[in-house]
Amino acid sequence: MAPPTGALWPDHGTDPQDASYAYVLMPGASERRTAERARDRDWLRILANDSAGQGVRVPSRGFTGARFWSTGTVGPVTASGPASVQIRERRDGTAVVSVADPPARSGASPSPGGAGSPPCSPRHRR
């Protein structure tokens, strides 16, 4: 049995020009937590939101996440093709970088660094 789902879409009108939007999914967030996030405009930074990819940074968590639909750069990360990238900074100055090329997009191996994984170049500095 599948969990309940819903639909969300902005009304673009009939012929939008130079329009854009962004939204954040916050599963399980209370009404209070959602209101706090809405008031704090700096808790999350949108690094990119275009046809090449999307990316966000959450400074307080040391987290950067990016989804590349094609070759491009999102914040500190450059990819030569479709990929999902997460960077989690640790307090000791190191970081865990996870890269996947979801099979649904290109049929390549989903294992980071495995055969078929897209070359990805993180240039992440604190």
Side-chain angles (χ1 to χ4, degrees):
M1 187 155 124
T5 60
L8 170 72
W9 70 91
D11 184 355
H12 293 289
T14 56
D15 190 19
Q17 301 287 323
D18 299 318
S20 67
Y21 64 93
Y23 58 90
V24 176
L25 299 177
M26 296 174 49
S30 66
E31 185 177 338
R32 181 177 151 248
R33 183 62 154 172
T34 302
E36 287 171 358
R37 293 295 191 216
R39 283 190 300 272
D40 182 1
R41 301 284 184 182
D42 295 325
W43 78 274
L44 178 137
R45 295 184 193 137
I46 297 173
L47 302 175
N49 187 19
D50 57 36
S51 61
Q54 285 82 36
V56 297
R57 171 129 176 83
V58 182
S60 65
R61 301 268 186 208
F63 175 80
T64 300
R67 176 64 176 125
F68 294 90
W69 305 111
S70 61
T71 300
T73 298
V74 171
V77 183
T78 298
S80 62
S84 293
V85 180
Q86 290 186 356
I87 301 171
R88 294 187 183 274
E89 299 171 35
R90 295 180 171 169
R91 291 183 183 166
D92 65 2
T94 63
V96 175
V97 179
S98 302
V99 180
D101 178 11
R105 288 291 290 171
S106 68
S109 167
S111 59
S117 290
C120 220
S121 172
R123 295 182 320 264
H124 202 74
R125 294 185 198 102
R126 282 190 159 190

